[in-house]
Amino acid sequence: MSVATYPAEGAQLGMVDSFGRVVDTLRLSMTDRCNLRCTYCMSQDMEFMPRRDLLSLEELDRLCAVFVARGVRHLRLTGGEPLVRRGIMAFVNGLTRHLQCGDLKELTLTTNGVRLREFAKGLAAVGIRRINVSLDSLDRQVFARIARGDRLYQVLDGISAAQAAGLKVKINTVALKRDNADELPTLIRWAHAGGMDITLIETMPLGLVDEDRTDQFLSLAAVRRRLAQSWTLTDLPDRSSGPARYVRVAETGGRLGFITPLSHNFCDSCRRLRVTCTGTLYMCLGQDSSVDLREPLRHSPNDAALHRAIDHALVLKPKAHSFATPVRGAAPALSRHMSMTGG
Ligand code: SAM
Ligand code: SF4
């Protein structure tokens, strides 16, 4: 008796969801742990996943190979803080085989930059071209208050090391009404003067944190209107594999992105899946539906069960997230933190 293989020989791989969206982008969380505790992302006393539940680097590598075979072309490693995962360099090095054979167009990383100086040269040497660094303030005290860690100078030093190693750096900044609203033009000017794109992000109601998000939520529609009072912003057709919409700032010459899940929903063109460090596949950052990949990964000798789980996930990928503008005192839209799902 022959054993059926999956996908059947000659069958088309590739990933299309039930709304016809081609999925070619994966965000993989390497760990839910972090060396900072940003107030909008985590609570001070976070409970992390037990280590036994984490996928090993070998399991993560196998998972990536399956997703690349299914048509993932853009792979971003994130977290938590990916650079605190032990063995990360060897792992990244292993993944570059998918770049070398041309299956993967882009392998990138999102980091808080604290350990970037240590890794910058190594990342560039194995073939990483671009990284995202999150930075919410250039003021030491404000940075320390937001990140609950006095690490601004380490992050700035890490960014310099990355640029010196030849990595293209994009800055991600969460717009926070109280903490950095007035500083946003300074951050934009600074990034552009350093040859970096910068993307502003609206806070999303993910997981319980210690403060009320209504105190910090800042609509980027309002930020854009304010910036347009002193700068000339021209819409650009440029699209990355992410949800940012870009403008050119005439006065600085640089590119500015807006990620606006709340003030302007971007789900129609979503091409992303997310996998947590414990092997849970989320089809949407802003919905709870998920599919477990750890069981098929650990208990199935070939990849057939993994492929079936991914097919199931594609059917379940929702049309849109269900975030709403935060309401004072309301529970977060989703109980899991961004550091779990991977930003
Ligand atoms: N630790 C790395 C870092 O900070 O870049 C990678 C993981 S972090 C979860 C990825 C991105 O998500 C960061 O740019 C961070 O600012 C953003 N982020 C975290 N929680 C968020 C939230 N609740 N709303 C919006 N963005 C958030
Ligand atoms: Fe850590 Fe990144 Fe979350 Fe800040 S945003 S706590 S750096 S995972």
Side-chain angles (χ1 to χ4, degrees):
M1 193 180 77
S2 69
V3 179
T5 57
Y6 185 94
E9 222 172 297
Q12 280 291 313
L13 285 172
M15 295 191 286
V16 182
D17 74 2
S18 24
F19 302 96
R21 294 172 297 193
V22 174
V23 175
D24 66 355
T25 301
L26 180 68
R27 302 269 166 96
L28 179 64
S29 175
M30 298 300 299
T31 174
D32 59 337
R33 289 170 169 74
C34 188
N35 43 7
L36 295 179
R37 293 282 183 282
C38 302
T39 46
Y40 52 79
C41 176
M42 292 192 179
S43 60
Q44 176 78 62
D45 305 309
M46 282 291 287
E47 261 191 46
F48 296 109
M49 300 303 287
R51 286 192 195 274
R52 65 175 180 280
D53 289 348
L54 299 196
L55 296 186
S56 68
L57 293 179
E58 292 72 23
E59 287 167 335
L60 287 166
D61 184 79
R62 179 176 158 205
L63 205 55
C64 288
V66 166
F67 274 107
V68 171
R70 291 297 301 258
V72 162
R73 298 292 167 257
H74 307 269
L75 174 56
R76 175 180 297 283
L77 307 180
T78 175
E81 173 51 35
L83 296 183
V84 302
R85 176 87 197 236
R86 201 170 300 152
I88 183 77
M89 266 317 303
F91 177 74
V92 174
N93 196 11
L95 287 182
T96 57
R97 70 186 185 279
H98 302 295
L99 284 175
Q100 281 145 18
C101 70
D103 285 350
L104 206 54
K105 282 193 198 153
E106 189 177 46
L107 175 59
T108 55
L109 184 110
T110 299
T111 173
N112 60 28
V114 171
R115 297 190 66 186
L116 195 47
R117 171 159 289 280
E118 229 176 293
F119 289 100
K121 270 193 191 151
L123 290 170
V126 299
I128 304 298
R129 298 281 159 261
R130 271 186 347 115
I131 57 169
N132 287 355
V133 181
S134 304
L135 177 63
D136 301 326
S137 178
L138 291 167
D139 179 296
R140 183 174 173 184
Q141 281 177 358
V142 176
F143 179 101
R145 188 171 71 230
I146 299 172
R148 294 193 185 103
D150 184 8
R151 302 294 185 89
L152 173 66
Y153 296 150
Q154 254 164 288
V155 175
L156 294 177
D157 183 51
I159 292 171
S160 302
Q163 290 188 308
L167 295 169
K168 199 165 166 44
V169 177
K170 180 169 80 88
I171 302 295
N172 279 344
T173 301
V174 175
L176 301 163
K177 184 157 68 184
R178 192 189 58 222
D179 285 325
N180 67 9
D182 292 337
E183 198 193 337
L184 294 176
T186 308
L187 275 156
I188 296 166
R189 254 187 254 106
W190 166 82
H192 290 172
M196 298 176 282
D197 287 348
I198 177 168
T199 293
L200 307 180
I201 307 172
E202 282 174 349
T203 49
M204 289 172 257
L206 288 167
L208 268 182
V209 291
D210 303 317
E211 46 184 50
D212 193 320
R213 280 198 174 84
T214 39
D215 292 338
Q216 286 280 40
F217 177 75
L218 183 58
S219 158
L220 289 183
V223 170
R224 186 179 166 149
R225 278 195 300 276
R226 204 169 144 196
L227 294 175
Q229 287 170 6
S230 39
W231 286 344
T232 314
L233 309 179
T234 310
D235 284 318
L236 294 172
D238 316 12
R239 294 300 309 276
S240 60
S241 59
R245 300 284 191 277
Y246 290 96
V247 298
R248 173 80 54 203
V249 181
E251 288 73 8
T252 63
R255 241 170 32 132
L256 167 65
F258 295 92
I259 298 185
T260 55
L262 284 91
S263 65
H264 179 262
N265 169 311
F266 43 63
C267 302
D268 283 353
S269 56
C270 180
R271 296 147 63 177
R272 285 172 297 283
L273 293 177
R274 294 166 197 269
V275 176
T276 69
C277 55
T278 54
T280 304
L281 172 57
Y282 283 99
M283 288 68 80
C284 173
L285 182 61
Q287 292 279 4
D288 261 334
S289 55
S290 65
V291 167
D292 174 46
L293 300 181
R294 191 174 57 190
E295 179 72 16
L297 197 55
R298 291 199 170 158
H299 301 293
S300 171
N302 63 33
D303 295 334
L306 267 178
H307 281 287
R308 277 195 296 274
I310 293 170
D311 284 341
H312 181 51
L314 289 167
V315 173
L316 295 181
K317 186 168 163 62
K319 192 162 192 276
H321 68 66
S322 54
F323 291 138
T325 306
V327 176
R328 185 169 299 282
L334 297 176
S335 59
R336 66 179 195 275
H337 293 84
M338 183 86 149
S339 52
M340 182 66 205
T341 328

